[in-house]
Amino acid sequence: MSRPTTNPTDRLRFLPRLDRGAHDLAPCVWRIMQATNRYREVFDLIPSIVDRWDGRHASLRAPVDDPGDLHIDFEDGTAVEDARHLTMLSSESVHHLRTALDYLAFQTVLRDNGSPREQTQFPICKDRRSFNKQHPHRMPGITRQHRGWVEAVQPFHGVEWTKILVELSNRDKHQFPIDVVPAYTFGYDPTVRFADPEGDPAFVGFQVEDPNLSFLFSDTRGPDGSGREVTGALLSLIHGVTDLLNVFLEDAGQEPVTVTSVESD
């Protein structure tokens, strides 16, 4: 029997055999690493945006007979375009963190049941009733201890980072990107008045003091009702997801993850 000849131009391809039936939390760690990388880009980008900001400050003026009726005219220059770049980086960071939790849900169900289940998802609920309804379907068959760890980080227990995450990720995932907006803050002394910057004798002008340009999430608000500062919000999400994952990593006998803040580099 003749043997087939091998064409010298033939190529062989070897593909790794992936075992998706084994418990593995490494993908959760990979997602946190990517979220942290995007956060670092945001952290590094903001100072450069502020440095190249054109420096135009708000024009403050008010009627002479009603100095409390401030008329504010402000152009934020290139900050709006820069905010779009920050939006996409922040969106990616939030997406990686939300996905890390969904991976954690899948892996926990796999570990506790001995086999994977379909349509798993990490539940984040604003009230206990919703959690009790969603949990059996999103993370079926997990141990009481694991359920307790998941429940402990729910917004209805006053946990801030899950509240922020669900506010940002739900709209970003289903509607349009989360909004990062430039915020210009300043002070002024109402007792010190100047000629109206527009030359109207019926108005007086005021001097802007201590101007500051920052960037906020408009889709999640802090206790005072204002938007949350971008880097602070992202960092709280990263630490929140990492701390929860570390509980499950240690329970599985694996090394915990350490996230070093950019500020300490």
Side-chain angles (χ1 to χ4, degrees), residues 32 35-36 39 43 93-94 97 101 153 159-168 217 220-222 228-244 259 261-263:
I32 291 177
T36 304
Y39 160 78
F43 185 88
S93 184
V94 168
L97 293 170
L101 290 181
V153 299
V159 177
E160 196 72 7
W161 70 264
T162 45
K163 175 179 181 292
I164 298 172
L165 183 58
V166 76
E167 287 175 346
L168 292 176
F217 284 126
T220 178
R221 304 202 172 266
R228 298 178 189 272
E229 193 274 326
V230 169
T231 56
L234 288 179
L235 191 58
S236 71
L237 295 180
I238 291 170
H239 282 299
V241 175
T242 301
D243 289 346
L244 177 62
V259 175
S261 298
V262 174
E263 292 89 336

Side-chain angles (χ1 to χ4, degrees), residues 18 76 145 174 216 223 264:
L18 302 178
D76 48 24
Q145 183 182 49
H174 299 297
L216 309 177
S264 63

Side-chain angles (χ1 to χ4, degrees), residues 48-265:
S48 66
I49 294 173
V50 174
D51 287 343
R52 68 175 183 270
W53 177 44
D54 56 26
R56 287 179 289 181
H57 301 305
S59 172
L60 300 183
R61 51 198 298 266
V64 174
D65 58 358
D66 188 7
D69 181 20
L70 279 180
H71 294 219
I72 303 174
D73 182 21
F74 173 65
E75 294 182 11
D76 48 24
T78 61
V80 172
E81 288 297 325
D82 289 321
R84 292 174 184 167
H85 189 187
L86 293 174
T87 290
M88 298 315 297
L89 291 173
S90 300
S91 173
E92 289 180 32
S93 184
V94 168
H95 171 71
H96 285 304
L97 293 170
R98 187 67 180 91
T99 303
L101 290 181
D102 288 339
Y103 286 178
L104 177 60
F106 177 85
Q107 291 295 332
T108 303
V109 171
L110 170 60
R111 179 186 178 190
D112 290 352
N113 290 275
S115 60
R117 301 291 178 90
E118 296 295 327
Q119 298 181 336
T120 57
Q121 184 181 24
F122 191 94
I124 301 179
C125 304
K126 295 182 178 180
D127 58 78
R128 184 183 297 275
R129 181 178 180 181
S130 297
F131 179 79
N132 290 337
K133 182 179 180 180
Q134 290 188 30
H135 188 274
H137 304 287
R138 298 303 187 186
M139 299 184 70
I142 68 172
T143 67
R144 179 177 298 179
Q145 183 182 49
H146 290 163
R147 175 192 165 105
W149 293 344
V150 173
E151 181 178 338
V153 299
Q154 296 299 313
F156 61 83
H157 280 306
V159 177
E160 196 72 7
W161 70 264
T162 45
K163 175 179 181 292
I164 298 172
L165 183 58
V166 76
E167 287 175 346
L168 292 176
S169 65
N170 279 359
R171 204 200 71 176
D172 185 65
K173 182 168 59 176
H174 299 297
Q175 298 175 0
F176 45 87
I178 54 181
D179 286 327
V180 174
V181 296
Y184 178 78
T185 57
F186 60 89
Y188 79 102
D189 186 345
T191 65
V192 180
R193 304 176 184 180
F194 301 91
D196 177 44
E198 297 185 13
D200 188 338
F203 279 74
V204 293
F206 302 98
Q207 179 65 46
V208 167
E209 298 177 355
D210 300 321
N212 178 64
L213 182 66
S214 60
F215 291 87
L216 309 177
F217 284 126
S218 66
D219 302 297
T220 178
R221 304 202 172 266
D224 62 353
S226 62
R228 298 178 189 272
E229 193 274 326
V230 169
T231 56
L234 288 179
L235 191 58
S236 71
L237 295 180
I238 291 170
H239 282 299
V241 175
T242 301
D243 289 346
L244 177 62
L245 176 60
N246 280 340
V247 174
F248 283 86
L249 284 169
E250 292 177 0
D251 182 59
Q254 301 179 32
E255 289 294 320
V257 178
T258 300
V259 175
T260 302
S261 298
V262 174
E263 292 89 336
S264 63
D265 289 354

Side-chain angles (χ1 to χ4, degrees), residues 14-19:
F14 294 92
L15 298 177
R17 184 185 298 275
L18 302 178
D19 183 4

